[in-house]
Amino acid sequence: MGLIEVVEGPNAGHTYRFDRDELIVGRLTYCDIVVNQKNVSRQHARLLCSGGDYFVEDLNSTNGTFLNGKRVQSRTRLKDHDLIRVYNVTLRFRELDLTEDLPTGGISGSPSVGDERAVGGEMPGKTTQVGDNRSGRRKQNVEVNAYEKLKTVLEIHRTLGSTLDIDLVLPKILDGLFTVFPQSDRGYILFPDPVSDTFEIRAQKHKEEGTLAASSLGPISQTVARRVMSLGEAILSADGLDDAELDIGDSVLDFPIRSMMCAPLLGRMQEPLGIIYVDTNDPYERFHADDLEVLLSVAATAGQALEYAVAHQAKLHLDRRERELATAREVQLHFLPQTPPEIPGYLFYGHYASAEEVGGDYYGYQPLADGRTAISLGDVSGKGISAALIMARLCSEVRYRLATASTIRDGFLQLNDEFAKPENDTWFVTFVLCVLDNRRHLVSLFNAGHMAPICRRAATQEIEELGEANTGPPLGCSPGIQYDPCTVELRPGDLVLIYTDGISEAMNARHELYGRNRLLEAIRRGPERLEDLCRWILDDVKLFTQQHPQNDDICLIGFQREPERSVP
């Protein structure tokens, strides 16, 4: 008489009598030995008794039948103690003498397989579900480890509340989960990458190297991760190999898993911030609903801790950025004049206010070798850090060219050629240079694409826009450009104002611009003295915008020939 023993599988120890001509092993319920897994074919293998000999043959199954570790290619004779492998179930064939005592406890009392009773006190039926996940051992482990699980989960929660450094906390979460779920083979905590639309692994844990499970694991399924992130719901697959709906085998998972759990890290607004994932390759210790509840508890606390940690890191980053910008602002202000020039018979005024911490407007004064004074103002395209860097370079280039060129005109040409180099083609600079001869009271003016400086005549209160006909393109547009100056004479009380478009394009809450005409009118009717007039203009701009946020850098400078004093 033949006997089939289950030696590996959830029902290990159960025994079938082989006293018929044929036993069919397969997934379908009418098979004589049922292995309830989708990786097992409907009719996977056949065990035969013919002429007193026993045989095994594979029924063209997808994943094959193995005898003593070798794949069965044709009908093969069975010998006593041969091992037959069908997916994750190992059967041992026993050829018994009729006088030999039969095994007790696990063998069915009926002479046929169809009438046998399942092991463990289950109801009688035609077949035994070899793939049943809920073994007695599992139930005992849940009861025995309940206290240990609770203790570990509380320890995870305590760890989450002990620090705001998320990179220190995440590995400890996985260590705790591997204690709660000792069957785990892999654990991951992943955050979404908004740039690549993939997931970044922030923490991971595998079983010790050298184990069968750890040696055959790859990254987790993107389908599972995206589903958990999009729905904000946890996923449990009691048998990952058989869950076609989850499509666990997509692209990034090259090796099978037996069971997996994946839960979202939810913040206070219930928005998924990342995911926690664990899986196992153990066919006898799969995850169940009570395991998922434990994982959800950890994920809920971890999600809130993550949100606080991210907010804390953002604040630290913001504080650091604010400190860096404050330092950058101090450095930039050192490029600007700290005090006005002291030139007999002339008054000077300068005002600078960036729209952000740093900006791209520039002005400066530079004494020349021949006793004249260069007064310059520039406006770099854009604003913020990049514009501030160009502004710093403009400042140094202006000083260098004016100090080394043989003439002011040559220096202006060299300045344009420097900014017109190919590596500088992403930005440009509008620039005005006034060269004041305080002995002859003459001003020579070069203009590269900037708004014309405005001159107010003290005797007539007339307004002139200087050098409009001589204005060339901004610095950097094209090399080799010759800029022609215009020259004007300043009489007592006359003044010249130079400004950037942060004034003329200042905007109010109705999106109206301050405009050039309003500026000219303010200059015409403003106070006589330069400083009073400049403050008048700035106050008028402020009144016009009605505290609307400044949308561009503001720079206003001027110089005035002092009025003649009347003789008493």
Side-chain angles (χ1 to χ4, degrees):
M1 176 179 140
L3 207 67
I4 303 295
E5 299 175 347
V6 181
V7 296
E8 186 176 358
N11 288 329
H14 191 62
T15 307
Y16 299 90
R17 288 176 175 170
F18 192 175
D19 54 0
R20 300 171 55 182
D21 292 339
E22 177 182 274
L23 297 179
I24 301 297
V25 182
R27 192 174 76 237
L28 295 179
T29 57
Y30 58 74
C31 292
D32 300 297
I33 301 176
V34 175
V35 181
N36 188 19
Q37 304 285 357
K38 289 186 179 178
N39 285 60
V40 174
S41 298
R42 291 180 176 85
Q43 292 187 337
H44 196 101
R46 176 165 43 211
L47 307 176
L48 304 103
C49 179
S50 177
D53 293 325
Y54 296 89
F55 302 88
V56 60
E57 66 179 12
D58 184 72
L59 299 179
N60 297 317
S61 66
T62 301
N63 295 313
T65 303
F66 295 83
L67 178 62
N68 299 323
K70 294 183 179 180
R71 188 159 186 163
V72 175
Q73 302 293 343
S74 59
R75 182 177 295 185
T76 305
R77 188 177 182 278
L78 292 172
K79 301 185 296 296
D80 191 27
H81 287 87
D82 276 352
L83 296 178
I84 305 165
R85 183 79 175 179
V86 175
Y87 177 46
N88 63 347
V89 174
T90 301
L91 309 172
R92 177 187 287 121
F93 170 72
R94 294 295 310 280
E95 188 172 7
L96 302 177
D97 190 291
L98 291 178
T99 61
E100 184 177 348
D101 293 335
L102 295 175
T104 60
I107 191 169
S108 63
S110 171
S112 67
V113 174
D115 296 331
E116 70 186 8
R117 295 180 181 270
V119 179
E122 298 186 23
M123 296 298 295
K126 175 179 170 55
T127 60
T128 297
Q129 301 295 325
V130 179
D132 187 358
N133 289 336
R134 298 190 175 272
S135 65
R137 180 176 60 159
R138 166 69 189 175
K139 295 175 182 177
Q140 293 174 2
N141 287 343
V142 171
E143 294 174 0
V144 171
N145 295 330
Y147 173 76
E148 189 66 28
K149 285 184 177 182
L150 177 60
K151 180 180 176 181
T152 305
V153 169
L154 291 176
E155 179 64 22
I156 293 174
H157 289 180
R158 189 194 65 79
T159 302
L160 288 170
S162 65
T163 179
L164 289 172
D165 189 341
I166 198 65
D167 289 325
L168 294 178
V169 171
L170 297 182
K172 294 182 179 180
I173 294 175
L174 292 180
D175 290 341
L177 289 177
F178 270 56
T179 300
V180 175
F181 309 122
Q183 73 269 43
S184 298
D185 287 301
R186 303 181 306 166
Y188 292 96
I189 297 179
L190 303 99
F191 294 163
D193 186 340
V195 177
S196 61
D197 193 31
T198 57
F199 289 87
E200 173 192 6
I201 298 177
R202 292 292 300 272
Q204 60 180 311
K205 183 177 178 65
H206 291 187
K207 271 190 176 176
E208 295 79 10
E209 294 183 359
T211 64
L212 176 62
S215 65
S216 63
L217 294 172
I220 78 165
S221 166
Q222 295 281 2
T223 300
V224 170
R226 290 195 180 97
R227 175 170 168 180
V228 172
M229 281 295 296
S230 62
L231 299 179
E233 298 176 352
I235 287 178
L236 165 67
S237 174
D239 190 341
L241 287 166
D242 294 338
D243 202 334
E245 180 185 357
L246 295 180
D247 191 19
I248 291 177
D250 67 331
S251 70
V252 294
L253 186 59
D254 298 327
F255 297 94
I257 61 174
R258 305 301 186 192
S259 181
M260 54 74 62
M261 296 186 295
C262 189
L265 299 167
L266 298 176
R268 288 174 298 172
M269 303 303 294
Q270 298 301 299
E271 288 293 328
L273 305 175
I275 63 172
I276 296 181
Y277 173 100
V278 290
D279 66 30
T280 178
N281 203 38
D282 189 336
Y284 314 125
E285 290 290 344
R286 297 169 186 170
F287 298 120
H288 301 279
D290 55 339
D291 297 326
L292 187 62
E293 290 298 325
V294 174
L295 183 65
L296 283 171
S297 174
V298 173
T301 306
Q304 294 186 27
L306 172 62
E307 191 172 51
Y308 288 129
V310 170
H312 178 68
Q313 292 295 328
K315 187 178 186 305
L316 291 179
H317 179 75
L318 180 61
D319 291 344
R320 182 169 61 251
R321 176 177 171 81
E322 288 178 348
R323 291 194 299 269
E324 291 173 349
L325 287 175
T327 301
R329 179 177 176 80
E330 292 179 7
V331 171
Q332 183 180 35
L333 291 178
H334 280 292
F335 284 101
L336 303 177
Q338 305 302 303
T339 58
E342 295 183 0
I343 299 176
Y346 280 84
L347 302 172
F348 293 84
Y349 181 85
H351 172 83
Y352 172 77
S354 60
E356 301 178 4
E357 287 292 330
V358 292
D361 286 359
Y362 154 81
Y363 76 95
Y365 311 113
Q366 183 171 347
L368 302 177
D370 58 8
R372 295 183 295 172
T373 301
I375 304 160
S376 55
L377 180 145
D379 185 358
V380 178
S381 59
K383 52 183 177 290
I385 294 292
S386 59
L389 294 173
I390 305 304
M391 173 270 198
R393 182 179 175 191
L394 174 65
C395 176
S396 61
E397 287 290 342
V398 169
R399 292 176 180 176
Y400 174 73
R401 303 300 171 183
L402 293 181
T404 58
S406 57
T407 66
I408 298 298
R409 185 171 184 174
D410 287 345
F412 207 91
L413 174 64
Q414 294 172 16
L415 185 65
N416 175 69
D417 287 348
E418 177 64 28
F419 281 85
K421 289 180 178 179
E423 60 267 26
N424 302 325
D425 63 354
T426 57
W427 40 263
F428 61 88
V429 180
T430 63
F431 184 71
V432 173
L433 176 66
C434 296
V435 180
L436 172 64
D437 185 340
N438 63 303
R439 292 189 297 270
R440 295 190 296 168
H441 306 297
L442 297 177
V443 176
S444 298
L445 186 148
F446 295 82
N447 193 334
H450 200 79
M451 287 84 66
I454 300 171
C455 177
R456 189 181 71 178
R457 299 297 182 179
T460 62
Q461 296 299 303
E462 291 181 357
I463 302 296
E464 299 177 17
E465 295 184 89
L466 305 178
E468 286 189 292
N470 299 76
T471 300
L475 297 178
C477 289
S478 180
I481 296 176
Q482 295 288 339
Y483 292 87
D484 297 321
C486 74
T487 302
V488 296
E489 180 183 0
L490 295 182
R491 292 181 287 275
D494 290 352
L495 58 81
V496 176
L497 295 178
I498 313 172
Y499 64 98
T500 59
D501 53 10
I503 290 181
S504 57
E505 296 181 2
M507 186 180 297
N508 62 19
R510 297 185 297 275
H511 299 285
E512 298 170 337
L513 298 181
Y514 185 77
R516 170 177 165 274
N517 291 336
R518 189 176 277 105
L519 174 61
L520 294 176
E521 182 60 27
I523 296 174
R524 182 179 291 108
R525 60 187 175 86
E528 177 182 337
R529 290 182 60 82
L530 175 67
E531 182 175 351
D532 295 338
L533 175 62
C534 290
R535 294 184 183 279
W536 164 278
I537 293 170
L538 294 171
D539 288 343
D540 194 52
V541 172
K542 187 176 182 180
L543 179 64
F544 173 81
T545 58
Q546 299 176 349
Q547 306 301 321
H548 190 269
Q550 182 181 334
N551 63 329
D552 202 353
D553 302 330
I554 290 177
C555 188
L556 175 65
I557 67 172
F559 54 95
Q560 181 182 31
R561 182 178 175 185
E562 289 185 346
E564 292 181 344
R565 297 179 180 179
S566 58
V567 179

